[in-house]
Amino acid sequence: MLIMVTGAKGLLGQEILRRLRTLGIPCTGVGREDFDVTDPEAVYSAVNREAPDVIIHCAGYTAVDQAETEPAACCRANAMGSLYLARAALSVHAKLCLISSDYVFGGDAEGELDTDSPCNPRNVYGLSKLQAEDAVRSVMTRFFIVRTAWLFGRGPCFPRTMLQLGREKPEVRVVCDQFGSPTYAPDLADFLCNLVRTDRYGICHATNEGFCSRAEFAEEVFRCAGLPAQVIPIPSSAFPAPARRPANARLSKASLDRNGFPRLPPWQDAVKRWLMSESQTPNS
């Protein structure tokens, strides 16, 4: 089995490749320097050259706020890029795993969001990810769509920003009315490497166990890091951004249960492990 990972230099792509190599599974990572996902001929050529058995598609346009002023570029990369990759996967009889987002939901619904909950994206990025899902579903049957949220790991991410602010300031203002599940990239990578070796196709939600607000996430980072900084909870309205974020991004993990997969570890445990890895990284 050969697994191709797009977005190989990204936060999640790096972890997937690291995990695959640990498992001894043949893999190849590709990035922008290898081919442009918005160029169908380049995508087809690259996929047919490698002839993978599985493609894990992590690449895409991820600048959520910038997407509001660049909707065409965002949708071209995320939606059309996924369509081209799905068609290329079909040409070599490969499975495709698309990494999607909690942003496909509007964020106004109550309770946990399951895989069949109504989608109603409120920003361009979320719309582009929903379009990507629809594109894959329209041309393939052997696909996995994995929605995740609040990803963090080795690279730019929310807890890294909080850690830096907590070291510099006695108080940090953090939004308290957005709720979801933090997701540690190595934990998600471990799940994905297991998932794509099965035939449990369809949509699933994968985040670390438990829910919190952005402010509670920051508080846990400070507590585990032993920082005296205090979190000052503020409403989203006090921290305006070009793209509207979902207030409720509580993704239900019932799809993991239905498919016989163990749930990912609690997000608090993931924060501790992330901080431990940060302490072992030079210049962290």
Side-chain angles (χ1 to χ4, degrees):
M1 172 180 284
L2 174 65
I3 298 180
M4 173 186 280
V5 180
T6 70
K9 294 183 179 179
L11 190 149
L12 179 58
Q14 291 184 66
E15 296 296 344
I16 294 172
L17 288 168
R18 188 175 289 112
R19 180 60 179 160
L20 288 171
R21 288 164 183 154
T22 297
L23 293 169
I25 298 173
C27 57
T28 181
V30 294
R32 295 177 184 174
E33 67 278 9
D34 298 296
F35 64 85
D36 180 354
V37 295
T38 66
D39 181 342
E41 292 185 3
V43 173
Y44 181 87
S45 177
V47 170
N48 276 263
R49 183 172 58 251
E50 296 291 343
D53 299 289
V54 180
I55 301 172
I56 303 179
H57 185 32
C58 302
Y61 187 112
T62 58
V64 176
D65 287 325
Q66 190 173 329
E68 294 299 305
T69 56
E70 295 182 349
C74 178
C75 292
R76 186 165 57 248
N78 290 346
M80 297 308 297
S82 297
L83 176 61
Y84 300 149
L85 204 60
R87 288 174 174 170
L90 276 177
S91 73
V92 296
H93 308 289
K95 304 175 185 179
L96 176 65
C97 179
L98 172 69
I99 307 304
S100 190
S101 168
D102 61 298
Y103 281 26
V104 300
F105 296 109
D108 296 328
E110 297 291 333
E112 298 181 23
L113 302 163
D114 208 342
T115 54
D116 59 353
S117 295
C119 293
N120 184 26
R122 298 300 177 86
N123 58 45
V124 171
Y125 173 76
L127 174 62
S128 75
K129 296 303 284 187
L130 182 58
Q131 290 174 335
E133 291 187 10
D134 290 342
V136 170
R137 295 171 68 184
S138 70
V139 299
M140 300 190 73
T141 56
R142 298 170 68 234
F143 68 84
F144 310 95
I145 292 174
V146 179
R147 295 174 182 152
T148 191
W150 296 15
L151 192 67
F152 68 101
R154 308 185 201 198
C157 56
F158 176 80
R160 185 183 299 279
T161 300
M162 292 300 103
L163 193 61
Q164 180 177 345
L165 291 174
R167 288 168 173 167
E168 297 171 351
K169 301 180 178 181
E171 296 181 344
V172 181
R173 292 158 56 88
V174 186
V175 169
C176 64
D177 55 2
Q178 294 175 10
F179 297 86
S181 295
T183 309
Y184 189 32
D187 290 342
L188 180 58
D190 188 41
F191 165 71
L192 293 170
C193 292
N194 291 331
L195 174 67
V196 298
R197 290 181 287 164
T198 74
D199 59 359
R200 299 169 200 175
Y201 303 118
I203 302 175
C204 69
H205 292 171
T207 66
N208 281 93
E209 188 69 7
F211 304 114
C212 65
S213 68
R214 290 280 187 182
E216 290 168 334
F217 192 4
E219 287 173 342
E220 185 67 10
V221 171
F222 294 164
R223 186 187 71 80
C224 292
L227 295 175
Q230 297 295 310
V231 171
I232 306 300
I234 61 170
S236 301
S237 58
F239 191 74
R244 179 180 173 183
R245 269 68 173 174
N248 177 24
R250 298 180 180 92
L251 298 184
S252 167
K253 286 79 168 183
S255 55
L256 297 180
D257 302 336
R258 289 193 294 267
N259 285 289
F261 289 109
R263 295 195 178 197
L264 278 62
W267 68 267
Q268 298 92 333
D269 174 74
V271 168
K272 293 176 185 176
R273 286 181 285 121
W274 175 77
L275 282 166
M276 187 175 300
S277 71
E278 286 292 290
S279 68
Q280 297 170 353
T281 303
N283 302 318
S284 63

